[in-house]
Amino acid sequence: MKILVINAGSSSMKYQLIDMNDESVLAKGNCERIGIDGHFKHTTGTGKKYEIDVTMNNHTEAFVQIKDALLDKEHGVITDLGEVSAIGHRVVQGGALFSESKIVDDEVIAGIESLIPLAPLHNAAHLQGIRACLDVFGKDVPQVVVFDTAFHSTMPEKAYMYAVPYEFYEKYAVRRYGAHGTSHRYVSQRCAELMGKDIKDLKIITCHLGNGSSITAVDGGKVVDTSMGLTPLDGIMMGTRTGSLDPSVVTFIAEKENLSPSEMDTLLNKKSGFLGISGISSDDRDVSEAAEKGNKRAKLAIDMLEYQILKYVGSYNAVLGGMDALVFTAGIGENQYSHRASVCHKLEYMGVKIDDKLNEEYIHGNWGKISTPDSSVEIWVIPTNEELVIARDTKALVEASK
Ligand code: ADP
């Protein structure tokens, strides 16, 4: 069974074709700058590459590029579209409507549409992706949606409510939903497997640290709290996003600078975080390099990030009543070992012991356990694989529906 996984953004569409017999990636790529000028990249599992500048006016035109590349004589990986058994889509916001993955039907489409106000750019783009697949593949190829928020749907009320007047929860469903759920789900389950234990018996804190970052407390396989909120702006500071703030900072700056809500939104989402503090870059590699060369603001950005990770881990440790494992994943979590070291050394008071040598070795695709045998908590570096989770859910739902 071959499954096409689609991650449609407002101006991009990433894809992977996965052979579920051995879960290998047959091809993957990205349609970038849809509706702008257009660039298309495609790589096969055997390393053949194809890349062109091509205008893609909308997601259906982008999808035609994907289809043509998959079928191409030179760099294609299938000979007939019929080989694609199903399509799985990443959907950012499932709100309180979707606590698990679903086969796409009219009701599911209406549900995703109704959640557009909570994720305007993302959910609208996902729907374009779903409709583009319908245009190109027709109704006979089943489509499945996997929600980024679903894994967090087990959070208790006391964790997801904000202390604003209750009517705003009732009127607009304002609450914490979290994000990166598919990644937190994958790495927490993988961690339990690697530890040789049932996830039901484990308390795990998962740190997804990338351009966007979130930290989640997982008790017995269920999320009890997560750092991202109504939107992916909450929690720890990120590449260009603030993370948590005193809300008065927002009203104060907006008043002083005479900024509209949407201008303020841009400032908080695109101009803050690593970029805003360092003034250099949103990319951890650039900021770390500058910090090493003595740039004070770059060093401050790094110190702030490590401090905030530590605070979340400490507070979730309290929420869970102790932890069995701490997991690092995503671009920064899998590669920037100095942050892992800094955070874990500060946890030594509670018996956490990191193996510094292994920690420095486990980067760039090397991964595994980085705690010492006598550490009170197992520390793991586990590469995330959201596409694989989407493909597995798609396969399971499609098979169950037959
Ligand atoms: P996204 O949230 O866009 O998926 P990633 O998970 O790729 O982002 O994370 C991007 C961040 O990870 C950047 O700050 C970058 O510096 C860092 N990163 C990614 N790859 C590496 C690497 N090989 N070495 C060091 N840092 C990396």
Side-chain angles (χ1 to χ4, degrees):
M1 186 187 227
K2 288 171 192 150
I3 290 181
L4 183 60
V5 176
I6 297 289
N7 181 355
S10 51
S11 66
S12 71
M13 186 142 71
K14 290 190 192 137
Y15 64 95
Q16 280 194 10
L17 184 66
I18 300 180
D19 184 345
M20 295 312 285
N21 291 331
D22 57 0
E23 297 189 332
S24 61
V25 177
L26 298 172
K28 64 178 174 182
N30 192 5
C31 309
E32 293 165 9
R33 302 174 63 83
I34 300 170
I36 310 168
D37 42 8
H39 189 74
F40 178 72
K41 277 191 222 164
H42 171 90
T43 313
T44 69
T46 55
K48 283 187 201 157
K49 286 189 196 311
Y50 172 70
E51 197 167 339
I52 44 160
D53 287 324
V54 55
T55 308
M56 295 172 277
N57 289 310
N58 52 47
H59 286 70
T60 300
E61 288 186 20
F63 210 82
V64 171
Q65 291 298 325
I66 299 177
K67 180 197 77 162
D68 290 349
L70 292 174
L71 287 168
D72 191 84
K73 284 211 176 77
E74 293 291 315
H75 50 261
V77 289
I78 52 174
T79 47
D80 189 292
L81 266 198
E83 288 179 48
V84 177
S85 307
I87 301 164
H89 295 266
R90 170 187 183 223
V91 175
V92 162
Q93 184 53 272
L97 280 182
F98 299 105
S99 56
E100 55 191 16
S101 304
K102 292 275 180 203
I103 292 196
V104 174
D105 58 18
D106 291 345
E107 201 182 325
V108 169
I109 288 185
I112 297 171
E113 202 149 27
S114 74
L115 295 166
I116 286 178
L118 290 176
L121 294 179
H122 287 109
N123 272 30
H126 303 323
L127 283 171
Q128 282 178 312
I130 292 168
R131 290 187 175 121
C133 287
L134 265 176
D135 286 346
V136 175
F137 278 86
K139 276 206 158 163
D140 290 340
V141 178
Q143 300 194 47
V144 166
V145 277
V146 177
F147 299 92
D148 262 12
T149 45
F151 187 50
H152 301 304
S153 66
T154 49
M155 264 187 290
E157 230 177 353
K158 65 184 175 191
Y160 70 66
M161 286 302 289
Y162 293 119
V164 291
Y166 197 79
E167 66 189 89
F168 296 111
Y169 172 61
E170 294 173 313
K171 265 209 264 189
Y172 307 122
V174 170
R175 50 159 281 190
R176 177 185 308 284
Y177 292 103
H180 297 141
T182 312
S183 173
H184 290 290
R185 178 175 142 207
Y186 175 78
V187 295
S188 56
Q189 283 168 353
R190 190 85 184 94
C191 178
E193 267 168 45
L194 291 160
M195 289 172 76
K197 298 212 165 127
D198 190 333
I199 195 163
K200 290 203 177 77
D201 302 324
L202 292 174
K203 294 172 188 293
I204 306 175
I205 297 178
T206 48
C207 304
H208 176 113
L209 310 174
N211 255 327
S213 301
S214 63
I215 300 185
T216 297
V218 186
D219 194 353
K222 298 212 158 112
V223 172
V224 291
D225 207 346
T226 191
S227 63
M228 279 181 167
L230 173 72
T231 71
L233 184 55
D234 200 359
I236 58 172
M237 70 188 280
M238 306 173 219
T240 58
R241 290 174 242 172
T242 55
S244 306
L245 294 172
D246 175 351
S248 301
V249 171
V250 181
T251 46
F252 184 87
I253 295 176
E255 259 180 34
K256 289 278 177 208
E257 297 279 315
N258 198 20
L259 298 178
S260 67
S262 96
E263 287 167 332
M264 201 59 216
D265 194 67
T266 304
L267 186 146
L268 299 169
N269 276 290
K270 306 245 166 85
K271 299 183 181 168
S272 301
F274 259 38
L275 178 65
I277 292 293
S278 72
I280 290 173
S281 167
S282 62
D283 193 299
D284 195 307
R285 285 166 287 199
D286 302 336
V287 179
S288 292
E289 201 185 310
E292 269 163 37
K293 288 185 184 146
N295 183 299
K296 287 212 171 89
R297 275 171 54 186
K299 172 79 168 62
L300 172 63
I302 302 285
D303 287 347
M304 285 170 70
L305 177 74
E306 291 173 352
Y307 181 65
Q308 293 181 15
I309 299 170
L310 178 69
K311 283 212 293 190
Y312 266 100
V313 172
S315 67
Y316 286 171
N317 184 59
V319 162
L320 290 168
M323 61 174 153
D324 300 299
L326 177 63
V327 181
F328 291 95
T329 193
I332 295 173
E334 291 167 32
N335 294 296
Q336 297 291 66
Y337 64 84
S338 56
H339 304 332
R340 302 189 303 231
S342 159
V343 171
C344 293
H345 282 299
K346 294 260 170 29
L347 297 170
E348 274 166 8
Y349 75 93
M350 49 183 274
V352 171
K353 287 190 197 157
I354 187 167
D355 181 323
D356 286 308
K357 190 166 170 290
L358 278 181
N359 180 42
E360 289 183 25
E361 280 169 16
Y362 288 164
I363 54 170
H364 303 158
N366 290 327
W367 60 274
K369 185 157 71 175
I370 54 171
S371 47
T372 61
D374 61 339
S375 174
S376 61
V377 172
E378 291 198 13
I379 316 167
W380 284 87
V381 176
I382 302 178
T384 195
N385 196 340
E386 290 155 288
E387 290 78 12
L388 184 57
V389 177
I390 295 171
R392 283 178 181 168
D393 274 17
T394 303
K395 177 172 186 264
L397 280 176
V398 169
E399 283 179 350
S401 73
K402 276 186 187 154

